[in-house]
Amino acid sequence: MTQQERRPWIVGVSGASGTPFAASVLRGLLAAGESVDLVVSRASRLTLLDETGTAFRDAHWQEDLRSWLARGADGKPDTFRPDIDGVRHWAAGDLAAGPSSGSYPAKGMLIVPASTACVAGVALGLSKDLLQRAASVTLKERRKLVVAVRETPLSGQTLKQMVALDEAGAVVLPASPAFYAGATHIQDLVDFVAGRVLDAAGVPHQLYRRWEGELGGASRG
């Protein structure tokens, strides 16, 4: 695929807890044959290090991303074998990067997880870093923006900002796992949320068992 033909999903990872959600979304996109432009905020690198022990360095991003995506939600390394050939990384401080412009071809953007600070920045159009700028561009170009909010409880101000995002055309998707799919492992709960993010983006996947209208179906499956 040439650069002219490439039309990626932009994935922004903010500083909220929940880096396994981002890893599952990234694996799902790559498994579906999608191209990805990745923006990892400064705050999220601290969260990633704390939750997984994985550092994320701009100069070694491929090595670090491969290590991160190979890790299961339970922390076990080498659980997955990710192929990251479809990923392009942009430094969060690079406001001249491709995704900062509306003329840059992209299918849309997924922010996973989204902190309340990220929600506020995008809702107010602050564009303090590439993640927020790319989200603002996504909204103004009327492309799909999915914001997977990971925070509890939510303040009244954050709720207002979430309504503002909804009114601007974004899909506000709280990182709330469900149990009807027959989850037996932490990875199942993580994959459910990631699957709902991909559903909102219209990307096919097999990350969770879908409801088929049969009570108790998951427990008997």
Side-chain angles (χ1 to χ4, degrees), residues 69-98:
L69 298 191
R71 186 179 297 270
D74 58 2
K76 292 181 180 179
D78 302 320
T79 299
F80 301 98
R81 296 185 179 277
D83 180 356
I84 65 169
D85 287 346
V87 180
R88 182 173 185 178
H89 166 257
W90 300 95
D94 185 3
L95 290 176

Side-chain angles (χ1 to χ4, degrees), residues 13 20 102 112 133:
V13 186
V112 189
R133 172 59 186 168

Side-chain angles (χ1 to χ4, degrees), residues 14-34:
S14 81
S17 176
T19 55
F21 294 130
S24 183
V25 166
L26 287 166
R27 288 192 298 264
L29 287 170
L30 295 171
E34 299 286 346

Side-chain angles (χ1 to χ4, degrees), residues 155-170:
S155 70
Q157 192 61 42
T158 297
L159 291 170
K160 292 176 183 177
Q161 291 158 352
M162 290 165 63
V163 170
L165 288 178
D166 177 79
E167 291 176 342

Side-chain angles (χ1 to χ4, degrees), residues 115-136:
S115 65
T116 53
C118 176
V119 168
V122 176
L124 297 174
L126 297 183
S127 296
K128 74 169 188 176
D129 60 10
L130 180 59
L131 193 158
Q132 291 185 11
R133 172 59 186 168
S136 294

Side-chain angles (χ1 to χ4, degrees), residues 129-148:
D129 60 10
L130 180 59
L131 193 158
Q132 291 185 11
R133 172 59 186 168
S136 294
V137 167
T138 301
L139 287 175
K140 79 180 183 68
E141 296 296 325
R142 302 297 191 265
R143 297 169 183 159
K144 179 74 73 175
L145 175 64
V146 182
V147 183

Side-chain angles (χ1 to χ4, degrees), residues 165-186:
L165 288 178
D166 177 79
E167 291 176 342
V171 175
V172 180
L173 194 153
S176 302
F179 295 84
Y180 63 76
T184 58
H185 191 278
I186 186 174

